[in-house]
Amino acid sequence: VQLVESGGGSVQAGGSLRLSCVASELTDRSLCMGWFRQAPGKELEGVATFRIGSGATNNASSVKGRFTISRDNAKNTLYLQMNNLQPEDTAMYYCAAGFLLGVASLNPSRYNTWGQGTQVTVS
């Protein structure tokens, strides 16, 4: 799987952005994909993940009710809709994929394919 992210940018607090991740394929039912972020001086953290086969999602508590992960099969694309963005959401956002069993983990170490990242800045 190859991943290419887009959609980052700069917004004011309370604004919205939608990130996109185009994947070379989204057909394996054991494939999990997700969005992760890393703020300056902080560790990489899971934001939201998605199991391709079942459609089950897993969201970090810090973004519940504000961020929504989804996919478009026809476009082989994973999305992250981010609403009510706050300054603490400022980070480099990465799309990742991995073959996981069970819950689509938010642990970045479980994923072995990564995109190049897209910057999100909230002021």
Side-chain angles (χ1 to χ4, degrees):
V1 178
Q2 295 181 327
L3 308 171
V4 179
E5 304 106 325
S6 63
S10 297
V11 296
Q12 293 186 336
S16 298
L17 284 173
R18 188 177 77 162
L19 305 183
S20 299
C21 174
V22 178
S24 56
E25 57 181 305
L26 284 179
T27 56
D28 195 308
R29 294 181 62 84
S30 62
L31 183 68
C32 289
M33 296 185 67
W35 290 97
F36 300 80
R37 66 185 181 186
Q38 188 167 29
K42 295 188 176 181
E43 292 185 353
L44 187 63
E45 65 172 352
V47 175
T49 55
F50 189 103
R51 175 169 290 284
I52 298 302
S54 65
T57 62
N58 190 11
N59 297 284
S61 58
S62 59
V63 305
K64 283 182 179 178
R66 299 189 300 125
F67 292 10
T68 302
I69 189 171
S70 64
R71 67 168 173 176
D72 184 327
N73 284 344
K75 297 181 179 180
N76 274 2
T77 301
L78 186 76
Y79 298 103
L80 184 68
Q81 178 66 44
M82 305 185 293
N83 297 327
N84 191 23
L85 282 159
Q86 300 300 315
E88 53 265 34
D89 296 315
T90 295
M92 182 71 78
Y93 283 71
Y94 298 92
C95 176
F99 294 95
L100 281 67
L101 299 177
V103 175
S105 175
L106 290 169
N107 184 345
S109 68
R110 302 291 304 279
Y111 297 78
N112 55 14
T113 300
W114 293 81
Q116 82 285 356
T118 185
Q119 178 69 37
V120 172
T121 303
V122 186
S123 59

